């Protein structure tokens, strides 16, 4: 009988290791001045350096070093007083020099940790994930496999290479082995990657979009019989590209490895590939086939020796830890858990916080960003914060609060701002979106409505208050929706002598 | 009258005086090349159109009264290891046959900016690996002193072009002696500047921590003039020195060594050095003493290990540097029949595209870096490098410059050592320590060996970033020897018959 | 016994992506033996207290500003390509990782 997950973790203790690659959001590449902009036409962002042309030489992007040190500091690492680049030698067509300029035995950040909290059966529990190293390296180009099964490497007739991504700065964050998680290994893995993503986002050093590959995770996992005190042979599952997949990959490997062990088979040290559809992994390269990378110090680059004063300057700029901040904002705004999660996942904490700082009421600020603005952003497949600024949202909210805009009008104002028609007040002026609050004008419309529907008016006079809806609707229509419906109702009922009765009910 | 035998400085004077033009000079050299290069084979490619265009542009500027650099309008031969935009750049290898770089090496940019006219690309040992230019995929270069002999290597093409009066100036690159040893065996002057003194951007890497481009000429002053054109900080090369260039032209003109201490390296004059080489070297020492210098013997015991360390470090770095030649992005592609995989095509291309010496070094370097052997080989070699630098520091504490013969022998016969890599490697025994320590080194002629009547090179080594010192000593020695000989040494070379 | 066998050379040739005939492997194994015998003497003086030197000139912290400069045009980038298609480098089928 095959073991399921619960049976597996009842017999075996999982040990984790996580390697996360993050693309930095510098303007230029790691070792050359080509743009890092996403989505350019093929081979338009290449030069002799990132194409590995004979004779070309790398020069380090200073901003990339700064970002990496920031990451190290945020992960409680020591910043190495002396660090170096090394060449990792292996052949692959998407790697122009056939070596990756990386760091090996002298990485820039070492020995950090990240505390993560997960829900357990006994309530919330904290785990410390120790960080072994944070180092700099460069990304490869992208290949397009043509012929055979669509886009697949196997069976392709040939491949087409685009080196726009070659040389994009990457930071690799490697944990020490993470033990003692027991059955919570999947949750710890996910919580770690989530917290890491949030930290990187708060530092502003990366877009950290797992779906787009700007953050990629490799999951190392081994099993040992509980109580054996030993470590099993590990597998390395590559390119796990969502938070949910991190969790699923751990579960999948626990089940696969435990069943092999149950069957008396050995675990092979190998790389495996995560299969998004099934949550399982399939074998890649085994250790026996693994390359001998022949690392040696990169002779074309000089050592990185950061001054301690500079490190302290950078340390002083570290933002509040995302988990701490979340807890603070949650209580300040009294937000329900679910909504807080939505805000975090949508990356809207900053926007909401700033909107509130501009004087908006917290509940309205959250609902505008999560509701209407997110909806418009989704339609356009862009980031909500790219559409409108927090101060503009705050302005719209304050106009609603003062009664100058209805919710419906406010939505039109926001649309106008997004369409580039100017600031909220400019849009209001151009589109003429002010609430019609002139009683005289409203009265004319009310009288016209009564004249058009005399029988309805008669029913209202007879005490049928709900019948007022039809006349209010007519007035709203006549004023192009710019009237305050409550105001119309009040004037109408007063005119027909029923206001007292309606408010008394 | 200006002839191809004039020095670059003399040509510059004539150009400034208006007695000749750059177009005239350029054409004069192409005529000479047409006469002799079939025999010498110094050039792999002639860029006549580009060169004449550049010459005409310089002439026009001069006519309009524009201020020009000292070498504006002077022709030059460029070693084919440097990328020149739009001009075939092969590195002496089949691998890069037909490749035209889309960019200029920084050295090339500086030459162009200085108005130097680049005649063409010179022959070299494939990827600068060799001491005889026999490893060129395009056939050997012949020594103008004796066409059956090698012109040194890897920059044999550049040195031979100077000795055959095909160009007054040339650029070489020196990883273990590739500028100085060819200079020695052709009776010309060659300088390896301090590592980082001249940008490596666009220099097709052999061994990154050792490679350095430098000037080749027939006089010390010409070398200094060219040195100042190509040297200086380059932000595209992280290892480029960000400091003022030593004033080498001024130093070359000093002609004074009174009170200077000349350190004679004990380890570089014994066994393995040809008698005639040692005799001429001592002539040079005598001339320096007569000029007022003081000789001190210095000992550099680790030099005995320099060659071994070099043949680990250089192959290791080259095994990685040459990995990019895989037929995917540029260069030749072999065996792509639509069925084979990229990996197979890479292997076939690298089999066909690289010559035996290049393969030998790639395999050696792959071994020295591989897991389990790194510490014993590459790691140990790096430690020897430290010891060599200590030896130099010691020696320079006792002397202003160090001297030795440049090469242990005069030019040997083509084919003589080609099947014996170890014997071939010994040619660089005296030049390699300079590269390992990153310091400056110069070779200039100090006479002809009595056994064979072939030129002998005198090596001067100066501390890092004090390249001016070797020019000062070199300039003085050159003047003293010229006074003794009565004529430049190349006047004694046989006249090459025009065909 | 030789320090390096033909199989060793074959393994190195595979790492270095160079195909070699049996004759070439045999020849190179012999040469490697000779050369390695000669260069191994570096171990005689490489004491453990000697630090390694990888760069001849001691310079640190050379960086550039994070500024975008113009790239090559795709035509220039592809100008040396043995084969190209759709502004991309065309290469034989790649065996290996997906
Ligand atoms: Mg990595
Ligand atoms: Zn680039």
């Amino acid at each position: 009988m095959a073991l399921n997950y619960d049976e597996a973790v009842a017999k075996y203790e999982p040990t984790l290791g996580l390697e996360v690659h993050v693309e930095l959001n510098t303007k230029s590449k790691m070792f050359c001045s080509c743009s890092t902009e996403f989505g350019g036409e093929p081979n338009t962002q290449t030069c002799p350096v990132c194409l590995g042309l004979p004779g070309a030489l790398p020069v380090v992007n200073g901003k990339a070093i700064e970002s990496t040190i920031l990451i190290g500091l945020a992960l409680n690492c020591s910043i190495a007083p002396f660090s170096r680049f090394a060449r990792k030698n292996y052949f692959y067509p998407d790697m122009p020099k056939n070596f990756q300029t990386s760091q090996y035995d002298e990485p820039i950040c070492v020995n950090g940790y990240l505390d993560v909290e997960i829900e357990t059966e006994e309530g919330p529990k904290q785990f410390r994930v120790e960080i072994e190293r944070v180092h700099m390296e460069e990304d490869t180009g992208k290949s397009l496999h043509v012929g055979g099964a669509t886009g697949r490497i196997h069976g392709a007739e040939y491949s087409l290479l685009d080196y726009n991504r070659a040389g994009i700065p990457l930071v690799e964050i490697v944990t020490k082995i993470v033990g003692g998680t027991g059955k919570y290994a999947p949750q710890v893995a996910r919580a770690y990657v989530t917290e890491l993503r949030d930290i990187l986002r708060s530092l502003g050093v990366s877009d950290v979009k797992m779906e787009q590959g700007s953050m990629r995770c490799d999951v190392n996992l081994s099993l040992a019989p509980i109580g054996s005190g030993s470590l099993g042979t590990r597998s390395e599952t590559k390119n796990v590209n969502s938070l949910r997949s991190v969790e699923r990959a751990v579960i999948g490997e626990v089940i696969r490895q435990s069943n092999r062990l149950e069957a008396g088979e050995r675990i092979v040290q190998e790389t495996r590939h995560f299969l998004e559809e099934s949550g399982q992994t399939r074998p890649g390269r085994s250790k026996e086939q693994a390359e001998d990378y022949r690392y040696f110090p990169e002779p074309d680059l000089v050592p990185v020796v950061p001054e301690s004063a500079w490190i302290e300057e950078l340390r002083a700029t570290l933002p509040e830890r995302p988990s701490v901040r979340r807890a603070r904002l949650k209580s300040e705004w009294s937000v329900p858990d679910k909504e807080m999660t939505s805000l975090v996942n949508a990356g809207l904490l900053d926007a909401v916080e700033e909107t509130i700082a501009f004087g908006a009421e917290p509940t309205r600020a959250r609902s505008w960003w999560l509701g209407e603005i997110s909806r418009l952003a989704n339609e356009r497949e862009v980031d909500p914060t790219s559409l409108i600024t927090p101060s503009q949202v705050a302005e719209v909210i304050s106009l609603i609060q003062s009664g100058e805009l209805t919710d419906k009008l406010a939505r039109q104002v926001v649309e106008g701002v997004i369409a580039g028609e100017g600031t909220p007040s400019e849009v209001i002026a151009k589109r003429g979106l002010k609430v019609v609050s002139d009683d005289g004008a409203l009265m004319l419309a009310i009288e016209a409505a009564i004249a058009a529907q005399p029988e309805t008016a008669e029913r209202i006079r007879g005490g049928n208050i709900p019948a007022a809806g039809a006349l209010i609707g007519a007035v709203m229509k006549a004023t192009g929706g710019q009237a305050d419906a409550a105001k119309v109702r009040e004037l109408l009922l007063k005119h027909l002598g029923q206001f007292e009765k309606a408010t008394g009910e | 009258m200006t002839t191809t035998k004039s020095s670059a400085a003399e040509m510059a004077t004539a150009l400034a005086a208006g007695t000749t033009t750059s177009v005239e000079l350029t054409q004069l050299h192409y005529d000479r090349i047409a006469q002799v290069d079939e025999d010498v084979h110094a050039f792999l490619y002639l860029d006549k159109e580009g060169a004449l265009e550049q010459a005409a542009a310089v002439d026009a500027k001069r006519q309009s009264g524009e201020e020009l650099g000292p070498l504006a309008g002077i022709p030059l031969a460029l070693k084919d290891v440097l990328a020149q935009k739009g001009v075939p750049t092969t590195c002496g290898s089949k691998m890069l046959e037909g490749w035209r770089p889309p960019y200029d090496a920084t050295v090339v940019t500086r030459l162009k900016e200085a108005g130097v006219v680049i005649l063409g690309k010179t022959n070299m040992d494939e990827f600068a690996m060799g001491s005889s230019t026999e490893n060129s995929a395009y056939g050997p270069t012949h020594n103008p002193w004796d066409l059956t002999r090698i012109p040194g290597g890897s920059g044999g093409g550049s040195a031979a072009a100077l000795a055959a009066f095909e160009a007054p100036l040339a650029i070489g690159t020196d990883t273990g002696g590739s500028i100085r040893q060819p200079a020695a065996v052709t009776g010309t002057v060659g300088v390896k500047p301090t590592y980082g003194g001249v940008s490596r951007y666009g220099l097709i890497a052999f061994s990154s921590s050792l490679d350095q481009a430098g000037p080749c000429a027939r006089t010390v002053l010409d070398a200094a003039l060219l040195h100042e054109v190509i040297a200086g900080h380059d932000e595209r090369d992280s290892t480029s020195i960000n400091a003022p260039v030593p004033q080498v032209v001024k130093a070359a003109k000093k002609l004074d060594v009174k009170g200077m201490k000349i350190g004679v390296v004990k380890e570089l004059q014994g066994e393995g050095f040809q008698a005639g080489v040692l005799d001429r070297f001592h002539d040079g020492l005598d001339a320096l003493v007569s000029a007022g210098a003081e000789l001190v013997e210095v000992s550099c015991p680790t030099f005995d290990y320099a060659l071994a360390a070099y043949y680990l470090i250089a192959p290791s770095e080259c095994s990685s540097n040459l990995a990019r030649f895989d037929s995917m992005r540029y260069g030749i592609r072999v065996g792509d029949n639509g069925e084979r995989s990229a990996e197979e095509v890479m292997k076939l291309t690298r089999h066909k595209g690289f010559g035996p010496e290049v393969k030998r070094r790639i395999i050696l370097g792959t071994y020295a870096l591989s897991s389990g052997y790194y510490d014993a080989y590459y790691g140990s070699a790096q430690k020897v490098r430290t010891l060599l630098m200590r030896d130099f520091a010691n020696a320079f504490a006792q002397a202003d410059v160090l001297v030795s013969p440049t090469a242990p022998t005069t030019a040997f016969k083509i084919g003589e050592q080609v099947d014996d890599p170890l014997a071939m490697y010994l040619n660089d025994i005296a030049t390699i320590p300079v590269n390992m320590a990153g310091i400056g080194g110069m070779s200039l002629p100090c006479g002809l060996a009595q056994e064979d009547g072939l030129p002998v090179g005198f090596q001067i080594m100066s501390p890092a970033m004090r390249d001016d010192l070797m020019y000062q000593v070199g300039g003085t020695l050159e003047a003293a020897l010229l006074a003794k000989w009565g004529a430049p040494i190349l006047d004694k070379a046989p006249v090459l018959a025009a065909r | 016994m030789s320090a390096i066998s033909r199989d060793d050379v074959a393994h190195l040739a595979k790492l270095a992506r160079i195909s070699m005939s049996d004759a070439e492997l045999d020849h190179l194994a012999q040469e490697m033996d000779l050369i390695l015998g000669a260069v191994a003497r570096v171990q005689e003086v490489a004491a453990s207290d000697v630090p390694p030197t990888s760069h001849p000139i001691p310079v640190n912290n050379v960086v550039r500003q994070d500024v975008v400069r113009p790239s090559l045009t795709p035509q220039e980038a592809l100008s040396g390509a043995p084969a190209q298609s759709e502004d991309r480098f065309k290469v034989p089928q790649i065996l290996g990782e997906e």
Side-chain angles (χ1 to χ4, degrees):
Chain A
M1 268 300 280
L3 297 185
N4 65 25
Y5 181 77
D6 290 334
E7 290 160 351
V9 290
K11 283 191 81 170
Y12 295 98
E13 172 73 32
T15 300
L16 281 168
L18 296 153
E19 289 175 27
V20 174
H21 284 88
V22 182
E23 281 184 359
L24 296 179
N25 59 4
T26 52
K27 293 188 187 73
S28 63
K29 291 187 180 180
M30 186 71 212
F31 300 116
C32 67
S33 302
C34 289
S35 169
T36 56
E37 198 76 48
F38 202 82
E41 292 297 311
N43 294 303
T44 52
Q45 290 155 227
T46 66
C47 72
V49 179
C50 58
L51 283 175
L53 293 191
L57 295 173
V59 185
V60 176
N61 185 337
K63 177 78 180 172
I65 292 181
E66 185 181 305
S67 298
T68 312
I69 291 178
L70 276 173
I71 294 170
L73 291 172
L75 299 176
N76 308 294
C77 290
S78 313
I79 308 305
F82 180 96
S83 104
R84 269 202 293 201
F85 288 94
R87 292 187 184 177
K88 181 182 185 181
N89 293 287
Y90 65 101
F91 283 79
Y92 208 76
D94 63 12
M95 195 170 56
K97 297 168 292 186
N98 285 323
F99 60 78
Q100 183 191 36
T101 307
S102 180
Q103 293 196 291
Y104 178 52
D105 51 357
E106 295 159 300
I108 187 158
C109 313
V110 292
N111 293 330
Y113 63 85
L114 188 56
D115 290 329
V116 298
E117 198 177 88
I118 59 157
E119 284 302 324
T120 70
E121 283 152 11
E122 299 85 44
K125 193 175 171 202
Q126 215 178 50
F127 281 91
R128 173 157 293 188
V129 177
E130 290 188 304
I131 311 282
E132 182 170 298
R133 58 190 283 147
V134 177
H135 76 244
M136 297 176 272
E137 57 186 37
E138 56 179 336
D139 213 342
T140 59
K142 293 281 165 277
S143 26
L144 194 72
H145 307 296
V146 183
T150 4
R152 303 259 302 186
I153 193 164
H154 297 290
E157 283 161 33
Y158 58 89
S159 297
L160 296 176
L161 295 168
D162 170 12
Y163 292 101
N164 284 351
R165 303 310 290 166
I168 300 283
L170 282 184
V171 165
E172 182 173 336
I173 301 155
V174 184
T175 67
K176 295 185 181 169
I177 57 167
V178 185
T181 60
K183 63 180 177 182
Y184 296 113
Q187 290 92 317
V188 169
R190 181 179 180 151
Y192 165 75
V193 179
T194 307
E195 183 69 7
L196 185 58
R197 182 199 61 177
D198 292 348
I199 287 178
L200 295 170
R201 187 181 284 148
S202 78
L203 293 172
V205 295
S206 169
D207 299 336
V208 284
K209 291 189 176 144
M210 293 190 83
E211 324 71 50
Q212 287 181 14
S214 58
M215 181 171 182
R216 322 194 265 265
C217 184
D218 301 342
V219 177
N220 291 313
L221 190 111
S222 67
L223 293 182
I226 288 178
S228 71
S230 61
L231 281 180
T233 304
R234 69 186 163 87
S235 67
E236 182 179 2
T237 304
K238 289 279 187 195
N239 291 331
V240 185
N241 289 334
S242 74
L243 294 172
R244 189 166 157 263
S245 300
V246 170
E247 205 170 338
R248 290 170 75 214
V250 175
I251 295 170
E253 269 304 282
V254 167
I255 294 173
R256 184 189 70 84
Q257 289 190 18
S258 62
N259 281 293
R260 275 191 76 94
L261 292 169
E262 286 296 294
E265 290 171 277
R266 274 176 55 245
I267 303 298
V268 189
Q269 186 170 340
E270 62 186 353
T271 56
R272 300 185 66 85
H273 296 280
F274 182 68
L275 303 170
E276 198 61 56
E277 309 79 45
S278 62
Q280 294 179 334
T281 63
R282 67 162 178 75
R285 197 165 43 192
S286 80
K287 184 70 178 174
E288 289 76 57
Q289 298 166 265
E291 289 271 5
D292 177 348
Y293 291 125
R294 291 159 285 136
Y295 284 99
F296 72 103
E298 166 57 278
D300 288 329
L301 294 171
V302 303
V304 179
V305 183
E307 274 186 45
S308 48
W310 183 47
I311 294 170
E312 290 319 308
E313 247 171 67
L314 291 175
R315 196 193 301 277
T317 68
L318 286 182
E320 189 180 9
R321 264 281 298 279
S323 56
V324 173
R325 177 172 179 233
R326 275 197 306 274
R328 176 176 61 78
L329 293 178
K330 191 167 176 302
S331 90
E332 277 177 20
W333 299 345
S334 352
V335 200
D337 281 346
K338 208 174 163 193
E339 194 181 332
M340 195 67 197
T341 309
S342 307
L343 284 169
V344 170
N345 289 346
L348 286 172
L349 281 187
D350 285 344
V352 172
E353 198 180 16
E354 281 178 54
T355 306
I356 294 167
F358 280 111
E361 194 270 314
T363 313
R364 284 190 198 260
R366 288 185 336 249
S367 79
W368 272 92
W369 280 107
L370 268 184
E372 184 65 7
I373 302 169
S374 289
R375 186 182 67 76
L376 293 169
N378 283 342
E379 276 175 18
R380 290 163 174 75
E381 294 182 353
V382 294
D383 211 52
T385 51
S386 70
L387 292 178
I388 188 164
T389 68
S391 79
Q392 290 168 334
V393 176
E395 188 182 342
V396 170
I397 290 172
S398 85
L399 290 170
I400 299 169
Q401 281 173 305
S402 69
E404 287 171 69
L405 287 178
T406 60
D407 276 2
K408 190 176 168 197
L409 287 178
R411 278 198 288 276
Q412 292 182 44
V413 174
V414 167
E415 252 181 50
V417 171
I418 288 169
E421 293 167 26
T423 62
S425 46
E426 284 165 358
V427 174
I428 289 166
K430 275 185 209 157
R431 291 197 182 186
L433 292 178
K434 268 280 182 328
V435 166
V436 178
S437 51
D438 174 349
D439 288 4
L442 285 180
M443 277 317 293
L444 284 175
I446 287 168
E447 276 161 17
I450 291 170
Q453 299 183 53
E455 286 162 27
T456 311
E458 211 42 53
R459 289 217 305 279
I460 297 167
R461 282 197 189 91
N464 185 353
I465 308 293
L471 291 182
I472 296 168
V475 173
M476 293 305 289
K477 199 173 172 191
T479 55
Q482 296 189 27
D484 180 344
K487 184 82 186 166
V488 173
R489 183 171 186 270
E490 184 188 326
L491 289 173
L492 175 76
L493 292 176
K494 273 184 179 161
H495 185 67
L496 297 176
Q498 295 298 312
F499 185 63
E500 240 67 322
K501 185 174 178 221
T503 48
E505 276 173 4
Chain B
M1 202 193 83
T2 316
T3 71
T4 55
K5 289 197 166 189
S6 309
S7 72
E10 289 162 352
M11 291 178 196
T13 308
L15 284 170
T19 60
T20 187
T21 65
S22 179
V23 168
E24 217 172 271
L25 264 184
T26 304
Q27 194 52 60
L28 195 63
H29 283 93
Y30 279 128
D31 292 347
R32 174 68 182 170
I33 291 167
Q35 267 183 359
V36 301
D37 207 51
E38 210 174 311
D39 289 333
V40 177
H41 192 225
F43 284 91
L44 291 178
Y45 181 81
L46 295 172
D47 180 29
K48 271 191 195 177
E49 206 177 313
L52 286 166
E53 206 174 288
Q54 166 96 358
V58 172
D59 287 338
K61 280 184 186 173
R62 199 184 299 278
Q63 286 250 297
S64 72
E66 201 172 307
E67 183 109 14
L68 295 168
L71 293 181
I74 311 284
L76 171 142
L78 183 68
K79 188 177 179 182
D80 204 26
V81 68
L82 287 148
Q84 185 181 354
K85 190 172 177 173
V87 171
T89 300
T90 67
C91 238
S93 180
K94 272 272 174 281
M95 185 61 92
L96 279 177
E97 192 163 27
W99 184 58
R100 290 173 188 255
Y103 79 108
D104 275 332
T106 297
V107 164
V108 172
T109 304
R110 294 199 173 161
L111 290 170
K112 286 180 175 175
E113 282 168 3
V116 176
V117 176
I118 302 171
L119 296 170
K121 308 297 284 288
T122 57
N123 200 11
M124 56 185 284
D125 284 303
E126 184 178 5
F127 286 106
M129 297 174 200
S131 306
S132 67
T133 315
E134 292 164 290
N135 294 333
S136 168
Y138 304 98
T141 295
H142 302 263
N143 192 325
W145 285 83
D146 176 349
L147 295 173
T148 67
R149 291 177 189 267
I150 59 102
S154 64
S158 283
L162 296 171
F165 304 104
E166 296 173 272
L169 296 172
I171 297 289
T173 59
D174 191 314
T175 305
S178 289
I179 288 176
R180 291 161 289 156
Q181 182 257 6
V185 300
T186 56
T188 59
V189 178
V191 176
K192 186 210 95 81
T194 296
Y195 181 84
V198 176
S199 170
R200 290 187 295 115
Y201 189 78
L203 189 177
I204 299 175
F206 158 20
S207 179
S208 309
S209 75
L210 300 163
D211 295 342
Q212 190 61 200
C216 307
R218 289 189 292 259
T219 72
V220 173
L221 177 62
D222 282 1
L225 288 165
L226 183 54
H227 188 125
E228 289 195 0
V229 166
I230 60 174
H233 181 242
D234 178 16
E235 59 180 25
R236 291 182 198 268
D237 175 0
S238 306
T239 60
S240 149
I241 295 170
N242 194 355
V245 178
Q247 297 191 4
V248 296
V249 172
K250 198 174 150 198
K253 288 175 171 172
K254 247 184 193 162
L255 306 182
D256 180 12
V257 290
K258 275 186 221 59
M260 281 183 92
K261 285 191 178 156
I262 311 288
V264 184
V265 184
K266 189 176 134 216
E267 286 77 9
L268 296 180
Q269 44 180 318
E271 212 185 315
F273 285 81
Q274 189 179 320
V277 166
L278 290 175
D279 288 346
R280 295 296 79 75
F281 174 62
H282 287 119
D283 290 352
L285 292 179
D286 292 345
L288 285 171
V289 170
S290 304
E294 184 192 333
L295 299 186
V296 287
E297 193 187 62
V298 298
S299 175
C300 297
T302 321
F303 279 20
D304 286 345
Y305 297 89
L307 194 68
Y310 175 87
Y311 277 98
L312 288 165
I313 289 174
S316 295
E317 291 184 3
C318 101
S319 71
S320 174
N321 282 330
L322 270 59
R324 67 188 62 196
F325 300 103
D326 64 359
S327 82
M328 299 292 111
R329 291 161 297 281
Y330 43 78
I332 61 163
R333 180 180 289 179
V334 175
D336 182 6
N337 58 3
E339 306 266 305
R340 290 198 178 97
S341 68
E343 186 179 35
E344 287 173 288
V345 170
M346 280 184 194
K347 283 175 153 180
L348 291 170
T349 303
R350 288 164 67 79
H351 175 258
K352 191 94 172 176
F354 289 142
E357 181 62 22
V358 172
K359 285 184 214 167
R360 196 147 47 218
R361 295 204 198 183
I362 290 176
I363 295 298
L364 179 59
T366 304
Y367 179 80
L369 289 175
S370 60
S371 99
Y373 299 99
Y374 180 97
D375 289 339
Y377 290 99
Y378 183 76
S380 296
Q382 281 198 320
K383 290 181 170 190
V384 170
R385 201 163 183 180
T386 307
L387 297 173
L388 286 166
M389 293 174 86
R390 288 180 186 167
D391 275 2
F392 271 117
N394 252 328
F396 283 124
Q398 302 164 58
D400 297 299
V401 297
L402 307 180
V403 295
S404 76
T406 309
T409 68
T410 54
F412 49 89
K413 294 268 188 190
I414 289 173
E416 197 178 313
Q417 297 184 0
V418 85
D419 293 323
D420 187 351
L422 283 177
M424 186 69 90
Y425 297 167
L426 282 171
N427 287 298
D428 293 330
I429 191 144
T431 47
I432 276 172
V434 166
N435 302 79
M436 295 291 277
I439 65 168
M442 166 188 283
S443 178
L444 73 160
C446 59
L448 304 178
Q450 62 269 23
E451 304 93 332
D452 48 27
L454 291 167
V456 174
F458 187 97
Q459 178 173 236
I460 308 168
M461 299 165 261
S462 57
M465 297 170 76
R466 287 308 307 273
D467 300 20
D468 53 320
L469 292 177
M470 63 187 173
Y471 278 98
Q472 185 182 344
V473 174
T476 311
L477 177 59
E478 179 186 59
L481 292 173
L482 186 62
K484 185 175 148 192
W485 301 332
I489 199 165
L490 282 170
D491 280 8
K492 298 211 174 78
V495 175
L496 292 169
R499 287 219 220 164
Chain C
M1 209 201 95
S2 64
I4 187 156
S5 67
R6 178 222 274 208
D7 284 353
D8 293 334
V9 178
H11 172 68
L12 295 169
K14 187 165 182 262
L15 280 177
R17 297 285 187 277
I18 303 175
S19 70
M20 280 189 191
S21 67
D22 287 351
E24 284 171 299
L25 291 173
D26 282 333
H27 184 65
L28 203 48
Q30 278 174 25
E31 285 183 332
M32 285 282 290
D33 243 10
L34 280 173
I35 298 170
L36 283 170
V39 297
R41 58 194 303 263
V42 290
Q43 293 155 23
E44 293 168 16
V45 286
S48 58
D49 61 341
V50 178
T53 296
S54 55
H55 295 69
I57 304 293
V59 182
N60 296 327
N61 296 333
V62 176
V63 298
R64 37 166 260 279
Q65 301 260 298
D66 182 25
V67 172
V68 175
R69 298 231 186 105
S71 295
L72 293 173
T73 63
Q75 292 70 39
E76 286 172 320
L78 288 151
S79 61
Q84 55 173 295
S85 175
E86 302 165 45
D87 279 342
R88 292 172 175 92
F89 294 84
K90 185 177 173 184
V91 306
Q93 52 171 317
I94 300 170
L95 298 181
E97 305 281 304
E98 211 158 324

